[in-house]
Amino acid sequence: MRTRPLKVALLGCGVVGSEVARIMTTHADDLAQRIGAPVELAGVAVRRPSKVREGIDPALVTTDATALLKRGDIDVAIEVIGGIEPARTLITTAFENGISVVSANKALLAQDGAALHAAAETHGLDLYYEAAVAGAIPLVRPMRESLAGDKINRVMGIVNGTTNFILDKMDSTGAGYQEALDEATALGYAEADPTADVEGYDAAAKAAILAGIAFHTRVRLDDVYREGMTEVSASDFASAKRMGCTIKLLAILERAADGESVTARVHPAMIPLSHPLASVREAYNAVFVEAEAAGRLMFYGPGAGGSPTASAVLGDLVAVCRNKLAEATGPGESAYTQLPVSPMGEVVTRYHISLDVADKPGVLAQVATTFAEHGVSIDTVRQQGKDGEASLVVVTHRAPDAALSGTVEALRKLDTVRGVASIMRVEGE
């Protein structure tokens, strides 16, 4: 074993960073044995140096992250700051100074992953980011290494624990959206401002990263269709149960049947109770991968939190340190296919549409005609009416999303349709 330690700079020391530091300290001997050399926490860059950080030597704490990276003896930087800046500049600075990087920054990787990979390659360094997607679940490395010889055609998963907790509570207790959100906030699953989670931004960033790995093409955050879950109601869950389904906020990544394009989307969807993702409860994550040779694989576990995320960070740290000792680098970006990302309108899917209609003869025929005129075939229809008002629930066969959207707009213009109560896609069949 080499006796000279590999030195690590920790950029950020919040919930995840402090747990990374704790594990590095308490498991130092084991990490050294696994790596083949000791690892030493050489500096911790923070914004508030006066804050007490249990287990961290105050002498290691600095507010000058740039100076820490430029001091000349750092081997690996762990970036757990989050956001775009200063994280992007600091990662670039690390590469310019011969430092490999482990990051948990999904937003930055989704936006500028290509540029960061290029910088790492230019300097012959590693960029690892297992912790950026699905917390402790081993997912990034299996997809870009274990499945590197296979062809992935579809990835569908629950990649945000906050939204899954909220939807699970709505399903299991009958709670409304706000009530379930309040419980998630009280338990610490939801931030004071939950927008990034409930509007799908967090899941969309993770979807962009996974799509790039799965399909060997560049997928940016702007390429991902995103739809939040704030409009999901108790009545939607009641409708789902009547169909033998539940509702999840899903990230869905697909290769086109002809192999010439890909799609990436995040939105709420009804899925059958028989699907493996339907049984994912509380704040857990799960990702379902469909590969040509391997078949169907499911990755499941805690998707957030200090300890789970730190576990993924430390796994990357061990891999990067081993590469340093071997004077080698791990896999970088694979974007050789250069496949275009198709717009949501070209995605073929199913719809569950609930309409408020007049309770009189001919309404169903008028609605069915509207679907037919837009080339959308109806699978099932359920109608209930009383005192001149009625509800009509239509489930379609698979059709292009643009055709389904056009159908909905045409339905809104019918004089017999009082309103569109809810629209939801149906997946997993």
Side-chain angles (χ1 to χ4, degrees):
M1 178 187 293
R2 193 180 89 167
T3 57
R4 182 168 63 83
L6 292 161
K7 295 193 175 184
V8 177
L10 180 60
L11 311 179
C13 197
V15 173
V16 175
S18 59
E19 190 65 11
V20 168
R22 185 192 68 79
I23 295 173
M24 284 186 65
T25 301
T26 58
H27 295 181
D29 291 341
D30 285 339
L31 290 172
Q33 292 295 327
R34 294 166 192 173
I35 291 168
V39 286
E40 176 187 316
L41 186 59
V44 182
V46 300
R47 287 185 299 174
R48 297 187 297 275
S50 59
K51 181 180 177 180
V52 176
R53 294 172 172 85
E54 187 176 348
I56 296 177
D57 183 352
L60 297 178
V61 177
T62 178
T63 58
D64 194 341
T66 302
L68 173 61
L69 295 172
K70 288 184 174 181
R71 73 186 210 183
D73 64 341
I74 302 299
D75 296 290
V76 182
I78 297 175
E79 184 273 307
V80 285
I81 298 171
I84 306 302
E85 289 292 356
R88 175 170 50 196
T89 298
L90 291 175
I91 290 175
T92 302
T93 299
F95 291 144
E96 292 170 349
N97 286 272
I99 301 168
S100 288
V101 174
V102 173
S103 176
N105 196 330
K106 55 188 172 288
L108 178 58
L109 288 160
Q111 178 172 305
D112 291 324
L116 295 177
H117 275 293
E121 184 176 357
T122 296
H123 294 283
L125 297 164
D126 277 326
L127 172 62
Y128 275 54
Y129 45 89
E130 183 67 65
V133 182
I137 303 172
L139 181 61
V140 170
R141 201 173 306 153
M143 286 180 62
R144 74 174 185 172
E145 296 183 34
S146 302
L147 295 174
D150 208 337
K151 181 180 180 182
I152 297 175
N153 291 316
R154 194 167 195 257
V155 179
M156 182 168 77
I158 298 163
V159 295
N160 182 277
T162 300
T163 55
N164 198 60
F165 179 89
I166 293 169
L167 292 172
D168 181 45
K169 289 301 174 184
M170 293 177 70
D171 184 28
S172 61
T173 70
Y177 166 76
Q178 189 60 51
E179 183 182 351
L181 173 59
D182 289 344
E183 183 176 354
T185 303
L187 292 172
Y189 292 124
E191 301 287 344
D193 179 0
T195 302
D197 294 323
V198 300
E199 293 295 351
Y201 292 102
D202 175 85
K206 296 169 182 175
I209 295 169
L210 291 177
I213 297 169
F215 307 131
H216 302 278
T217 195
R218 286 177 179 167
V219 179
R220 288 170 49 89
L221 180 59
D222 292 345
D223 295 321
V224 181
Y225 172 83
R226 178 197 55 78
E227 188 179 310
M229 49 156 279
T230 56
E231 299 302 316
V232 177
S233 66
S235 62
D236 289 325
F237 274 100
S239 294
K241 286 181 179 180
R242 281 192 287 268
M243 291 176 58
C245 293
T246 188
I247 299 171
K248 299 292 186 182
L249 184 75
L250 298 177
I252 303 172
L253 322 170
E254 295 175 297
R255 189 191 300 269
D258 61 7
E260 296 302 313
S261 64
V262 299
T263 58
R265 50 196 167 108
V266 169
H267 55 72
M270 294 182 179
I271 58 172
L273 294 174
S274 58
H275 194 282
L277 293 177
S279 61
V280 178
R281 311 300 297 270
E282 298 286 329
Y284 277 76
N285 284 193
V287 178
F288 205 68
V289 177
E290 298 180 29
E292 200 166 86
R296 296 183 173 186
L297 309 170
M298 184 166 163
F299 301 84
Y300 170 83
S307 293
T309 306
S311 171
V313 169
L314 268 295
D316 278 352
L317 177 64
V318 169
V320 170
C321 286
R322 286 172 175 170
N323 291 342
K324 281 279 185 182
L325 293 178
E327 297 183 347
T329 56
E333 182 188 34
S334 175
Y336 71 92
T337 63
Q338 300 182 23
L339 296 173
V341 182
S342 298
M344 185 64 189
E346 296 180 14
V347 172
V348 176
T349 186
R350 299 178 66 202
Y351 265 27
H352 174 283
I353 304 170
S354 180
L355 304 171
D356 295 327
V357 299
D359 186 16
K360 62 182 183 180
V363 173
L364 179 56
Q366 193 178 30
V367 168
T369 298
T370 302
F371 276 91
E373 288 173 347
H374 287 79
V376 178
S377 176
I378 294 175
D379 182 15
T380 63
V381 179
R382 186 178 72 255
Q383 184 175 13
Q384 293 178 324
K386 184 179 179 181
D387 299 329
E389 298 296 331
S391 63
L392 194 65
V393 177
V394 179
V395 179
T396 72
H397 286 291
R398 290 170 61 83
D401 198 80
L404 289 161
S405 297
T407 303
V408 172
E409 289 307 306
L411 289 170
R412 294 182 193 275
K413 296 175 183 178
L414 296 178
D415 57 6
T416 53
V417 175
R418 311 294 194 216
V420 179
S422 69
I423 308 168
M424 191 166 297
R425 295 172 183 85
V426 182
E427 298 288 345
E429 297 180 312

